[in-house]
Amino acid sequence: MKDGTPSDSELQVLAASIRAKWMILGILLNIPQDVLDEIYAIEENKPYGMLLRWKYAATSATPYEDLFNALCHERVGLNNLAKRFCCKETAYDIFLQ
């Protein structure tokens, strides 16, 4: 997994890929339902708003791992996106590009 915490710009890119599943992902990232309801009511870019709330509220030492697990959950099913976004690139991956 990558080290550190995703930047806001990385989360903007991710948000564009999770549009339809943002609320399920938010639940899996332990965002309270009342916060998700607030995001739904007031945020223009709901997936990005949810990811920002998660980032700034999370206390985990492994945010990329938490995000990876949520993206790979059977209710979300974005395994390839999880690998691209959360995992470090290896020399082999770079070679394949």
Side-chain angles (χ1 to χ4, degrees):
M1 292 296 144
K2 291 180 181 176
D3 298 321
T5 302
S7 69
D8 292 355
S9 60
E10 286 178 299
L11 293 180
Q12 278 188 325
V13 172
L14 180 60
S17 299
I18 62 164
R19 292 227 172 259
K21 299 188 179 195
W22 74 269
M23 192 172 286
I24 294 169
L25 188 61
I27 291 167
L28 294 169
L29 290 169
N30 297 316
I31 297 174
Q33 187 63 51
D34 62 323
V35 173
L36 292 172
D37 292 342
E38 180 183 325
I39 292 167
Y40 182 80
I42 65 171
E43 293 286 340
E44 185 175 324
N45 185 342
K46 294 164 186 14
Y48 180 61
M50 179 275 297
L51 289 169
L52 283 180
R53 297 281 179 98
W54 164 74
K55 175 183 172 178
Y56 292 112
T59 58
S60 173
T62 57
Y64 278 106
E65 186 174 338
D66 297 342
L67 189 55
F68 180 87
N69 291 333
L71 288 166
C72 290
H73 190 277
E74 64 186 20
R75 292 179 58 202
V76 178
L78 296 174
N79 300 34
N80 289 336
L81 179 62
K83 289 175 189 170
R84 279 195 328 265
F85 188 80
C86 300
C87 297
K88 293 179 183 177
E89 265 189 338
T90 66
Y92 181 73
D93 295 327
I94 295 168
F95 175 75
L96 291 177
Q97 292 178 357

